[in-house]
Amino acid sequence: MNTTKQRLLLLSDLWGKEKSDWITYYTSILENHFEIEYYDSCDLGTIDKSDYSEENLHHQFVNGGIDRAVSTLIQKEKQKISVLGFSIGGTIAWKAALLGLKIENLFAISSTRLRHETEKPLGKIKLFYGENDTFRPNNDWVNKMNLEQNLIPNQDHECYTNEEIAQKICKIIVAEMTK
């Protein structure tokens, strides 16, 4: 019997490892079921963190950082994998999948930049957004992409940093990947 755990990559939001204490809400549950690999999206995209402001980090990501992160991720990951991406991390995974990263499952939480995408990658995709996230993709985009988005009631963009929400999302991931 093969007891090797499936791999699950976690891709950080734009803050990277410095502001991700909340990631333990996910790893503490998911590491019981999967082999977890965590990537700091800033490291993948060679983002300069000397000005550690949201505006500066975001600017660097949209001006080449996302593309660099996508290339780096594709170079690092050659096997079929599943990905849990937070905000910019979900966008990086989506774009990497379009360029050849073999993604079996993509779980993207608060990946609002996906609203600009016109192509859908292969693999199973589950999207999660806070119901009050102003920049989440609209229903037309969701329908055009033939996807469904799971809306988290009364939550905004950083809903994924909430422990209770993390537990619910982990339960969905475990159910999806072990069926």
Side-chain angles (χ1 to χ4, degrees):
M1 187 171 139
N2 186 357
T3 56
T4 311
K5 291 180 179 178
Q6 290 183 69
R7 286 184 69 227
L8 177 62
L9 304 185
L10 273 55
L11 298 182
S12 81
D13 61 7
L14 97 163
W15 295 108
K17 60 185 167 282
E18 285 81 356
K19 270 196 184 176
S20 64
D21 296 349
W22 51 267
I23 200 77
T24 59
Y25 302 151
Y26 295 87
T27 54
S28 65
I29 296 170
L30 296 171
E31 68 191 3
N32 296 319
H33 304 274
F34 311 106
E35 180 191 322
I36 302 293
E37 176 108 24
Y38 174 82
Y39 285 112
D40 180 326
S41 294
C42 294
D43 292 347
L44 287 175
T46 58
I47 301 298
D48 175 8
K49 297 181 191 174
S50 55
D51 172 4
Y52 196 62
S53 68
E54 185 172 3
E55 188 180 339
N56 178 54
L57 297 174
H58 185 265
H59 177 78
Q60 288 184 71
F61 271 115
V62 297
N63 290 289
I66 292 173
D67 294 336
R68 286 191 303 275
V70 164
S71 293
T72 305
L73 189 61
I74 291 171
Q75 287 168 8
K76 287 179 175 285
E77 296 295 334
K78 301 296 183 198
Q79 304 302 313
K80 195 170 224 184
I81 40 102
S82 292
V83 179
L84 168 55
F86 302 94
S87 194
I88 202 86
T91 302
I92 291 166
W94 178 289
K95 289 177 168 290
L98 287 173
L99 295 174
L101 185 68
K102 299 178 194 94
I103 290 185
E104 194 170 343
N105 295 284
L106 171 57
F107 304 96
I109 308 174
S110 296
S111 297
T112 53
R113 296 202 64 76
L114 293 180
R115 70 188 186 277
H116 301 298
E117 294 300 312
T118 56
E119 254 186 284
K120 181 172 95 173
L122 296 172
K124 293 184 213 138
I125 300 170
K126 274 214 174 300
L127 304 176
F128 300 88
Y129 293 97
E131 176 184 50
N132 303 333
D133 191 336
T134 320
F135 296 107
R136 70 178 164 84
N138 64 29
N139 290 336
D140 288 343
W141 182 89
V142 173
N143 293 333
K144 194 175 93 183
M145 288 292 186
N146 194 22
L147 291 166
E148 64 179 62
Q149 57 180 338
N150 300 280
L151 296 182
I152 303 161
N154 307 312
Q155 293 292 320
D156 58 16
H157 185 73
E158 294 199 345
C159 60
Y160 55 87
T161 64
N162 174 306
E163 187 171 8
E164 201 175 300
I165 290 167
Q167 290 169 352
K168 288 177 182 167
I169 289 172
C170 287
K171 199 177 274 186
I172 292 168
I173 292 170
V174 170
E176 280 293 313
M177 287 182 59
T178 56
K179 62 177 171 185

